[in-house]
């Protein structure tokens, strides 16, 4: 298949990422930055959307132009932190349906625990973008994608903001058919499964529950 992991090194993203990582950035600004980066990551992740020709009239002449070819998308944020990416992605694809998967990492075992799942019923007709700002051990993303695959969507892409090399390896091995888009691949995980340098706990920083 094509390249499976896309790291977005665009200067605008790298600039915003610096403020996102900064521990002095408060929740209001943090939420805005997550949303803006999600828009930019989505821009790249939708690069291969197929186009079809249409004809319109400009104020001057008739012209053959292009529109997106009826491709249907579904967004699936992983609760909680994935919610922070939804609005930014909907800015670009406002007609997408939104499902939700609730997972949290058990702090002792680092294993994901599922507590909620509600997906659009027409997933077999849709391409899915799974949203979660953090890919750490990869356990949450791997489980969420396995749950989504049971509904047999046309395709799945995983969009995150910061990934650990360990998570990228685990996810690409578990789901070789899923392309991964992120703004950065950091150094490593610490002994508690946090990404270094990272940004801390994304859910807590988005929702102010530190
Ligand atoms: C965070 C993050 C991912 C997960 C990544 O969620 O948003 O879902 O950890 O870690 P992993 O790759 O090791 O599975 P968390 O479990 O803290 O839940 P929350 O979003 O409800 O805070
Ligand atoms: N989840 C987070 O929110 N941050 C990390 O660094 C790892 C998992």
């Amino acid at each position: 298949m094509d390249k499976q992991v896309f790291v977005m090194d665009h200067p605008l993203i790298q600039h915003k990422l610096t403020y996102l990582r900064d521990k002095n950035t408060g929740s209001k600004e943090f939420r805005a930055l997550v949303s803006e980066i999600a828009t930019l990551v989505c821009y790249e992740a939708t690069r291969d959307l197929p186009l079809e020709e249409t004809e319109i009239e400009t104020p001057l002449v008739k012209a053959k132009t292009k529109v997106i070819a009826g491709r249907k998308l579904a967004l699936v944020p992983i609760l909680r932190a994935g919610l922070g990416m939804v609005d930014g992605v909907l800015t670009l694809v406002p007609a997408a349906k939104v499902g939700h998967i609730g997972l949290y990492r058990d702090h002792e075992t680092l294993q994901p625990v599922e507590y909620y799942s509600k997906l659009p019923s027409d997933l077999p007709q849709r391409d899915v973008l799974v949203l979660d700002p953090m890919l750490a051990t990869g356990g949450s993303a791997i489980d969420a994608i396995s749950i989504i695959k049971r509904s047999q969507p046309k395709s799945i892409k995983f969009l995150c903001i910061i990934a650990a090399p360990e998570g990228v390896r685990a996810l690409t091995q578990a789901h070789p058919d899923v392309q991964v888009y992120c703004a950065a691949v950091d150094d490593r995980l610490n002994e508690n499964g946090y990404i270094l340098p990272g940004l801390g706990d994304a859910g807590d920083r988005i929702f102010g529950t530190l």
Side-chain angles (χ1 to χ4, degrees), residues 65-179:
T65 54
K66 296 190 186 247
V67 289
I68 306 267
R71 188 96 168 235
K72 291 181 165 182
L73 291 175
L75 315 181
V76 182
I78 302 177
L79 306 181
R80 292 175 298 167
L83 288 176
M85 297 175 72
V86 173
D87 283 351
V89 173
L90 283 175
T91 305
L92 295 185
V93 288
K97 287 194 177 176
V98 183
H100 296 87
I101 290 184
L103 293 173
Y104 68 88
R105 291 201 313 176
D106 182 290
H107 282 293
E108 299 294 323
T109 64
L110 299 184
Q111 291 304 306
V113 180
E114 181 185 343
Y115 60 89
Y116 185 76
S117 169
K118 180 83 183 167
L119 299 172
S121 55
D122 60 351
L123 229 47
Q125 283 91 55
R126 292 186 180 265
D127 296 292
V128 173
L129 304 179
V130 182
L131 311 177
D132 192 328
M134 308 305 278
L135 177 64
T137 64
S140 303
I142 290 169
D143 279 16
I145 290 168
S146 298
I147 294 166
I148 294 165
K149 279 186 172 175
R150 286 186 223 138
S151 298
Q152 301 184 308
K154 285 168 69 183
S155 72
I156 301 177
K157 290 180 178 176
F158 182 78
L159 278 58
C160 63
I161 294 181
I162 298 183
E166 295 89 333
V168 172
R169 260 195 308 277
L171 176 54
T172 52
Q173 272 174 21
H175 295 293
D177 53 330
V178 172
Q179 291 179 322

Side-chain angles (χ1 to χ4, degrees), residues 81 105 132-137 140 162 188-190 192-204:
R105 291 201 313 176
D132 192 328
M134 308 305 278
L135 177 64
T137 64
S140 303
I162 298 183
R188 63 183 175 88
L189 295 176
N190 73 8
N192 299 317
Y194 277 86
I195 300 174
L196 297 178
L199 51 70
D201 189 303
D204 283 344

